[in-house]
Amino acid sequence: MKQLFISAFNNEDKTFTVDFQPGRLLIDTVNEHYTDPKREGIPFICRKGACRSCVVHVLDGAEMLVPPTPLEQRALQVGKTTIAAGYRLACMTKFKEEI
């Protein structure tokens, strides 16, 4: 099975290995395994791409993800968390339907 490797930028760079799950949001795929996902998994506040609390660094497997939306691109244009450097918003990033 294909896997994605990410680190949660706002959770002390905690790393996660995620199995490919077609069409699912990245934040849901990771956080469904935790009783307190905001602390144990990928933190989040708004789930709309505005707060940037769910920034993740994609370490391997980016080809499994859909391209970023214009909103996600705008949200990640500041600082070191750019899409070109491998960062994404987990609340907006979905797996492709198939790879």
Side-chain angles (χ1 to χ4, degrees), residues 9 52 72-83 87:
F9 186 76
R52 297 174 32 100
E72 184 181 10
Q73 290 175 13
R74 283 192 305 278
L76 290 174
Q77 285 179 351
V78 296
K80 297 178 184 175
T81 58
T82 63
I83 291 169
Y87 291 91

Side-chain angles (χ1 to χ4, degrees), residues 45-97:
I45 297 171
C46 73
R47 292 184 62 105
K48 297 177 187 169
C51 72
R52 297 174 32 100
S53 63
C54 67
V55 172
V56 294
H57 188 201
V58 179
L59 305 172
D60 190 33
E63 69 279 359
M64 293 185 281
L65 304 172
V66 298
T69 64
L71 175 61
E72 184 181 10
Q73 290 175 13
R74 283 192 305 278
L76 290 174
Q77 285 179 351
V78 296
K80 297 178 184 175
T81 58
T82 63
I83 291 169
Y87 291 91
R88 299 292 303 267
L89 295 177
C91 73
M92 301 189 82
T93 302
K94 285 186 177 185
F95 283 100
K96 292 178 177 177
E97 290 296 329

